[in-house]
């Protein structure tokens, strides 16, 4: 981030914690939460989504973006990006953690 003297610009407050622990400290704190390219790395997605639902204010909005569990996503991310091209370390992606849109939706339903 670029240094600024503008008092209207709020600097990020980085926390080294889990969503589960943070949700206990900040229930109903956020209007919007974005989970982008995270879902495919989380073994216990239900726990994360429960914590996030606690963090959202009533009528808050959650944006989720993730890789769908398809043969193409496996070929591109695991085989291609990890093993062939070496863009990310081997083991970065576990295809068992990839979820279809329907699976994510079901986990979000009350």
């Amino acid at each position: 981030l670029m240094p600024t003297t503008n008092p209207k610009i709020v600097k990020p407050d980085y926390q080294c914690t889990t969503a589960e622990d943070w949700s206990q400290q900040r229930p109903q704190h956020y209007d919007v939460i974005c989970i982008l390219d995270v879902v495919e790395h989380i073994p216990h997605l239900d726990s994360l989504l429960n914590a996030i639902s606690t963090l959202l204010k009533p009528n808050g909005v959650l944006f989720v973006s993730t890789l769908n569990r398809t043969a193409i996503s496996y070929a591109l991310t695991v085989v291609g990006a990890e093993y062939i091209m070496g863009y990310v370390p081997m083991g970065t992606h576990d295809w068992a953690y990839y979820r279809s849109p329907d699976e994510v939706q079901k986990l979000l339903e009350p």
Side-chain angles (χ1 to χ4, degrees):
L1 295 174
M2 299 297 294
T4 181
T5 56
N6 185 338
K8 294 181 181 179
I9 295 177
V10 178
K11 293 183 180 181
D13 177 18
Y14 296 104
Q15 300 291 320
C16 183
T17 187
T18 65
E20 292 83 358
D21 288 344
W22 195 244
S23 69
Q24 299 303 310
Q25 299 174 35
R26 305 282 175 129
Q28 298 186 353
H29 187 77
Y30 299 98
D31 295 308
V32 177
I33 296 178
C34 298
I35 307 174
L36 310 175
D37 297 323
V38 172
V39 168
E40 65 271 17
H41 303 281
I42 305 296
H44 303 289
L45 185 57
D46 55 338
S47 178
L48 174 67
L49 294 177
N50 285 334
I52 287 173
S53 68
T54 301
L55 287 164
L56 277 172
K57 290 180 180 177
N59 299 313
V61 178
L62 171 63
F63 292 95
V64 179
S65 171
T66 188
L67 296 165
N68 194 355
R69 187 179 22 211
T70 64
I72 292 173
S73 68
Y74 181 82
L76 292 174
T77 59
V78 178
V79 176
E82 292 183 24
Y83 290 90
I84 295 173
M85 301 304 290
Y87 290 147
V88 294
M90 286 187 217
T92 297
H93 300 99
D94 185 334
W95 200 60
Y97 298 159
Y98 287 28
R99 275 69 169 214
S100 70
D102 289 339
E103 291 171 314
V104 174
Q105 182 66 38
K106 285 179 185 171
L107 288 171
L108 290 169
E109 292 173 357

